Amino acid sequence: MPPHAPPTPPNAPGPVHLVVPHRPGADHSQLRARLEALEPLRQHAVQWHVPAQRAGIVQAADEAARAALLSGGIVVACGGDGTINAVATAAWRHEVPMGVIPAGTFNYFAREQSLSLDLSQAAADILQAQRRGDMRPVRVGYVNERMFLVNAAVGLYPRLLEQRELASRRFGRSRWVAVVSAVWSFFRPASARRWRVSLRAHRGADALVREEFFASTLFVGNNPLQLERLGIPQARDVAEGDHLAVLLLKPQDRWATARTVWHAAIGQLDRDEAVISLACSEMEVEPASWRPLQVKVAFDGEREWMPPPLRFRVEDRPLWLVAPTATAKDDEGAAAQAAPARAEPPPEPDPDPPGALPVPGTAPGLAAVAS
């Protein structure tokens, strides 16, 4: 990630502009009561930004970020990846630092950043980091004009999110509901489309790679933790530099789909013949045959219709996250270095996994052309 100077913290910590999503009835009341009871927040100036309806989260986040800029404070998201996305977009646009109190289903962003999943501890960590001026740069991805921190996708994945939302309304929000609804979505018949893909393997690379793929889903990942759990080798490229991981899922029958679901569940998606994976710094995608006026795109759990072509990229300017400098990952790394080394037999070399592409920006059948 290119070097960028963090925002200059004020002499005294400003107020916390807390963004909380709209939730129906008792869910919202319970979450607000839990937050208001947090001792770290009770000892600090807090301004609440709660939309009157679910669709108002973007406006609430923007108002909170502008208020944080004027008051010399920070904007804090309390919610899942969708809420964090809305607040991060506003914080990045107004160039204000941001904190996160995780309160979602999977919390991929918070887990990747080694943030505490305990509400009280997360709030205490943010306020302590604010006082010390501790901030870290976070890479952000964009699809057209929409930011994504975790992933963005077209095809089957947006439908999967719709089914998960319907199941959550009926059975409540939980990981089991999310997983079961996802499996159900995979087993339902899915249409595929031929996509024309043009990508650049590395930032500033002269060669542009172009090819067409027939796929039911095109998934772009910006979160190494999620990619690692799926078993995608390009997670390393995303973690180490300015890359996005791209997965294309070929159309297949139900038995083959069951195998793909199993591989994803056990973190071995790189071994699945229906999956093509690669890494790039930027990519343009559009339907190769019939071109619709708009395509449904999912990003960090949200969905929106966008006109093709879809342009995926990594932004130069980072998002600044207010968080302790020492993270859980740092502690784990230090513990690993301090532990005595154990003699282990060398692992047997794995065969090349079908469909996985360990070299960023390359894939069988892709032809490099001059840009």
Side-chain angles (χ1 to χ4, degrees), residues 15 38 42 128 146 216 222 241 272 277 315 349 352 354 358 361:
L38 298 181
R42 295 177 64 181
Q128 182 182 45
R146 289 296 187 181
S216 61
N222 187 37
D272 198 288
S277 63
E315 275 292 342
D352 292 336

Side-chain angles (χ1 to χ4, degrees), residues 105-333:
T105 303
F106 293 101
N107 297 313
Y108 278 121
F109 177 79
R111 291 175 185 273
E112 169 60 28
Q113 294 297 325
S114 299
L115 306 181
S116 175
L117 301 183
D118 177 77
L119 296 185
S120 181
Q121 186 61 53
D125 288 345
I126 291 171
L127 296 179
Q128 182 182 45
Q130 184 189 21
R131 288 193 295 269
R132 295 180 176 179
D134 289 342
M135 286 179 278
R136 70 179 72 155
V138 176
R139 175 189 57 251
V140 301
Y142 263 82
V143 50
N144 288 1
E145 300 307 315
R146 289 296 187 181
M147 176 190 292
F148 62 97
L149 299 172
V150 180
N151 58 55
V154 295
L156 175 61
Y157 195 70
R159 192 184 74 177
L160 182 154
L161 294 177
E162 290 177 356
Q163 295 297 321
R164 188 178 79 178
E165 187 65 28
L166 292 174
S168 296
R169 292 177 185 175
R170 183 175 180 181
F171 302 107
R173 293 184 179 274
S174 71
R175 290 195 180 189
W176 281 110
V177 170
V179 170
V180 171
S181 64
V183 172
W184 173 252
S185 297
F186 267 110
F187 279 110
R188 296 181 63 188
S191 59
R193 174 174 285 162
R194 187 166 293 280
W195 298 95
R196 182 178 297 114
V197 178
S198 303
L199 59 85
R200 204 175 300 278
H202 301 281
R203 186 183 295 274
D206 293 331
L208 190 67
V209 183
R210 294 174 180 162
E211 186 56 286
E212 291 185 5
F213 293 94
F214 189 60
S216 61
T217 294
L218 186 147
F219 179 96
V220 180
N222 187 37
N223 184 281
L225 175 62
Q226 185 184 47
L227 297 168
E228 287 172 2
R229 292 189 173 182
L230 291 173
I232 302 302
Q234 283 75 22
R236 294 188 297 270
D237 301 303
V238 176
E240 293 174 359
D242 296 330
H243 286 93
L244 299 169
V246 181
L247 279 69
L248 294 117
L249 180 62
K250 302 175 186 177
Q252 50 189 342
D253 60 31
R254 290 190 176 184
W255 285 110
T257 299
R259 183 177 62 245
T260 298
V261 171
W262 173 249
H263 284 156
I266 63 175
Q268 294 184 359
L269 208 54
D270 58 330
R271 298 179 179 273
D272 198 288
E273 297 179 355
V275 176
I276 296 174
S277 63
L278 54 98
C280 66
S281 62
E282 57 183 287
M283 176 178 64
E284 183 175 292
V285 177
E286 61 182 335
S289 52
W290 174 69
R291 179 170 175 171
L293 295 178
Q294 292 184 317
V295 176
K296 184 174 285 189
V297 181
F299 51 95
D300 291 353
E302 302 301 314
R303 300 172 301 281
E304 183 175 306
W305 290 95
M306 298 183 185
L310 304 175
R311 296 181 174 90
F312 298 86
R313 66 189 187 277
V314 178
E315 275 292 342
D316 289 333
R317 181 164 61 86
L319 169 73
W320 288 98
L321 181 68
V322 180
T325 302
T327 66
K329 287 186 177 181
D330 296 332
D331 295 340
E332 290 171 3

